[in-house]
C-alpha cells in the first residue's frame, strides 16, 4: 500500500469571524406615507410663513421709501384732509399684497384656478352667506369697541391702523382706500393664496392659519379679536361656496359701512349718537335674518353644512395643525407681528 502524506494546510483557509451587521428596523409603508405627508405639509407651511414675512417686510420697506420720496419733494405732512395719507396707505396695500403675491405664485408655479376659486353661486345662496357673514363682522366690531374700552381704563389708546383723514375726508378717495382696496387685496392674499396653499391638506387647517395670519398682519391688539373672528367667518364662507366672491363682498360691505358712518358724521349729516343707533338697528335686522338663514343651513343635509373636509387622512387633524404651526417661518412671523403689535400698543404709532 502506497503512503500519501497528509497536507500540513487545509486547501481553503478557515473563514475569519465577522461582526454581525445591524440593520435598523425599516419604517412600515404607512409610516413612510406619514413622514412624506408631514414633510410636504411642513414645506408648504414654511412657504406660507415666508410669504407672510415678505408681506410685512415689503410693507415696511415701501412705506419708508414713500416717506423719504415725499419728504424730499416737500409733500410729507401736507394736506388738511389727509388725502396724501390715504393715497400712501392704499398704494402700499395694493403693491404689497398684489405684486408680492403674484410673484410668489409665479415662482411656485401655482395654478391660479385652484388658488383663487370663483365657482358660480346662486344669487339666493350668495345673499344668505353675505348676510350671515356681515352680521358676524358687525358683531366683531362691538367686540373691538369693548376691547378699546378695557384698554382705555388703563390709559392705553391703540391708534394703530387708523387713518387720520381730517374733519371732512375726500369721500371717493376715502371709500376707495378703506372699503374697496382692502376687500380685493386682503382677500387675494389671505383667503386666496394662503388658504389655497393649505386647503388641500385640510380645510379646517387652512381656515385657522389664514385667519390667524390675517389678524396678526393688522399689527395691533385692539383689532386682533375682530380680525380673527372675521377671518374665520370669511374663510369658512368661501370654503362652503368654493369662491372668493362672498368674502370680497362681505369685506367691502363691512368696511363700507364704517366709511359711510365716518363720512356722515364728518359732514354733520348725522351726529355720532344717531349714527350708532342706525348701526345698531341694522345689526338687529341682519341678526334676525341670519338666525333664519343659519336655521336653514342646520336643517340642510342634517347639519353637514357646518362641517369641513379634513383632506387626506394620512395624518389626523391635530397632527396636521401641530406640524404646520411649528414651522420655523410661521413661528418667526408670529413673533415679529406680536413684537410689532406691542410696539404699536405702547407708542400708539403704527
Amino acid at each position: 500500500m502506497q503512503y500519501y502524506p497528509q497536507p500540513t494546510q487545509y486547501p481553503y483557509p478557515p473563514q475569519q469571524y465577522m461582526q454581525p451587521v445591524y440593520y435598523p428596523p425599516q419604517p412600515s409603508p404607512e409610516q413612510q406615507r406619514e413622514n412624506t405627508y408631514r414633510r410636504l405639509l411642513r414645506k408648504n407651511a414654511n412657504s406660507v410663513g415666508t410669504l407672510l414675512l415678505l408681506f410685512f417686510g415689503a410693507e415696511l420697506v415701501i412705506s419708508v421709501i414713500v416717506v423719504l420720496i415725499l419728504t424730499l419733494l416737500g409733500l410729507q405732512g401736507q394736506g388738511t384732509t389727509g388725502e396724501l395719507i390715504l393715497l400712501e396707505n392704499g398704494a402700499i396695500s395694493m403693491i404689497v399684497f398684489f405684486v408680492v403675491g403674484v410673484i410668489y405664485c409665479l415662482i411656485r408655479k401655482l395654478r391660479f384656478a385652484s388658488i383663487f376659486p370663483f365657482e358660480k353661486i346662486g344669487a339666493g345662496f350668495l345673499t344668505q352667506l353675505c348676510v350671515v357673514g356681515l352680521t358676524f363682522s358687525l358683531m366683531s366690531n362691538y367686540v373691538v369697541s369693548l376691547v378699546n374700552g378695557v384698554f382705555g381704563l388703563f390709559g392705553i389708546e391703540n391708534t394703530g391702523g387708523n387713518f387720520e383723514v381730517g374733519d371732512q375726508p375726500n369721500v371717493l378717495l376715502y371709500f376707495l382706500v378703506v372699503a374697496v382696496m382692502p376687500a380685493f387685496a386682503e382677500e387675494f392674499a389671505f383667503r386666496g393664496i394662503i388658504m389655497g396653499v393649505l386647503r388641500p391638506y385640510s380645510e379646517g387647517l387652512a381656515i385657522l392659519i389664514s385667519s390667524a395670519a390675517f389678524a396678526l398682519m393688522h399689527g395691533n391688539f385692539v383689532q386682533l379679536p375682530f380680525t380673527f373672528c372675521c377671518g374665520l367667518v370669511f374663510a369658512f364662507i368661501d370654503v362652503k361656496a368654493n369662491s372668493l366672491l362672498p368674502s370680497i363682498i362681505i369685506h367691502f360691505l363691512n368696511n363700507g359701512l364704517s366709511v359711510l358712518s365716518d363720512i356722515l358724521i364728518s359732514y354733520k349729516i348725522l351726529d355720532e349718537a344717531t349714527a350708532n343707533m342706525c348701526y345698531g338697528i341694522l345689526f338687529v335686522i341682519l341678526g334676525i335674518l341670519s338666525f333664519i338663514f343659519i336655521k336653514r343651513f342646520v336643517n340642510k343635509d342634517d347639519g353637514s353644512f357646518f362641517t369641513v373636509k379634513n383632506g387626506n387622512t394620512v395624518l389626523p387633524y391635530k397632527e396636521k395643525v401641530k406640524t404646520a404651526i411649528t414651522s420655523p417661518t410661521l413661528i418667526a412671523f408670529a413673533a415679529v407681528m406680536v413684537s410689532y403689535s406691542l410696539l404699536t400698543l405702547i407708542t400708539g404709532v403704527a
Side-chain angles (χ1 to χ4, degrees):
M1 183 177 66
Q2 190 175 3
Y3 173 73
Y4 295 96
Q6 295 294 324
T8 58
Q9 181 177 344
Y10 291 104
Y12 302 100
Q15 295 183 353
Q16 295 182 352
Y17 176 75
M18 299 180 63
Q19 294 289 336
V21 179
Y22 174 75
Y23 293 97
Q26 296 297 313
S28 66
E30 183 178 352
Q31 290 176 324
Q32 290 179 356
R33 286 195 300 269
E34 289 181 359
N35 293 336
T36 301
Y37 190 86
R38 190 177 285 107
R39 284 195 298 269
L40 289 173
L41 175 55
R42 178 66 60 85
K43 176 183 176 181
N44 280 280
N46 270 318
S47 175
V48 165
T50 301
L51 175 63
L52 290 168
L53 289 171
L54 287 174
F55 280 152
F56 180 70
E59 187 174 18
L60 288 181
V61 171
I62 295 173
S63 298
V64 171
I65 292 174
V66 169
V67 169
L68 288 175
I69 292 174
L70 293 177
T71 302
L72 291 174
L73 295 176
L75 299 175
Q76 184 67 17
Q78 293 187 8
T80 57
T81 58
E83 283 89 351
L84 194 59
I85 297 175
L86 287 172
L87 284 172
E88 286 180 35
N89 284 277
I92 291 171
S93 174
M94 296 295 285
I95 291 172
V96 167
F97 290 121
F98 277 116
V99 175
V100 175
V102 168
I103 292 174
Y104 170 85
C105 292
L106 292 175
I107 291 175
R108 292 210 56 196
K109 298 179 181 179
L110 301 175
R111 292 180 60 251
F112 278 72
S114 60
I115 297 296
F116 310 110
F118 279 95
E119 190 172 294
K120 187 176 180 180
I121 315 171
F125 184 50
L126 177 61
T127 301
Q128 293 177 34
L129 291 176
C130 290
V131 167
V132 172
L134 183 58
T135 302
F136 278 95
S137 297
L138 298 183
M139 184 170 62
S140 299
N141 279 321
Y142 285 110
V143 174
V144 172
S145 299
L146 178 62
V147 174
N148 268 318
V150 172
F151 278 122
L153 295 175
F154 297 94
I156 300 174
E157 182 180 359
N158 189 357
T159 59
N162 292 337
F163 289 108
E164 298 294 337
V165 294
D167 294 331
Q168 292 185 336
N170 182 300
V171 175
L172 291 178
L173 184 60
Y174 189 32
F175 194 79
L176 177 66
V177 172
V178 180
V180 178
M181 287 184 176
F184 285 94
E186 293 178 3
E187 296 310 307
F188 170 84
F190 294 96
R191 259 63 66 182
I193 301 175
I194 294 173
M195 195 166 74
V197 169
L198 298 174
R199 189 175 172 184
Y201 296 94
S202 168
E203 290 180 344
L205 173 67
I207 290 171
L208 178 64
I209 291 183
S210 64
S211 302
F214 178 63
L216 288 170
M217 194 70 195
H218 281 75
N220 88 67
F221 285 119
V222 170
Q223 285 184 307
L224 187 63
F226 162 70
T227 48
F228 181 68
C229 292
C230 286
L232 290 174
V233 173
F234 293 169
F236 177 79
I237 287 176
D238 279 356
V239 164
K240 303 316 294 186
N242 196 31
S243 173
L244 294 182
L245 183 59
S247 65
I248 291 174
I249 294 175
I250 299 168
H251 201 150
F252 164 75
L253 291 175
N254 178 72
N255 289 14
L257 285 173
S258 297
V259 170
L260 180 61
S261 177
D262 288 346
I263 290 173
L264 291 176
I265 294 172
S266 298
Y267 283 88
K268 303 187 186 306
I269 298 173
L270 294 176
D271 57 36
E272 188 171 351
T274 304
N276 289 336
M277 183 181 67
C278 293
Y279 194 89
I281 292 173
L282 176 63
F283 175 67
V284 171
I285 294 173
L286 291 176
I288 294 171
L289 292 174
S290 295
F291 177 79
I292 296 172
F293 296 150
I294 290 174
K295 190 175 180 180
R296 290 180 182 177
F297 295 152
V298 171
N299 294 333
K300 182 180 179 181
D301 299 327
D302 298 324
S304 61
F305 177 85
F306 292 97
T307 61
V308 292
K309 299 176 182 177
N310 189 35
N312 195 307
T313 56
V314 173
L315 289 178
Y317 176 72
K318 290 183 178 180
E319 186 67 23
K320 291 180 182 180
V321 172
K322 179 182 177 182
T323 300
I325 64 175
T326 54
S327 300
T329 55
L330 279 180
I331 294 174
F333 169 74
V336 168
M337 294 313 303
V338 168
S339 302
Y340 179 78
S341 299
L342 282 172
L343 180 64
T344 300
L345 182 64
I346 294 170
T347 63
V349 178

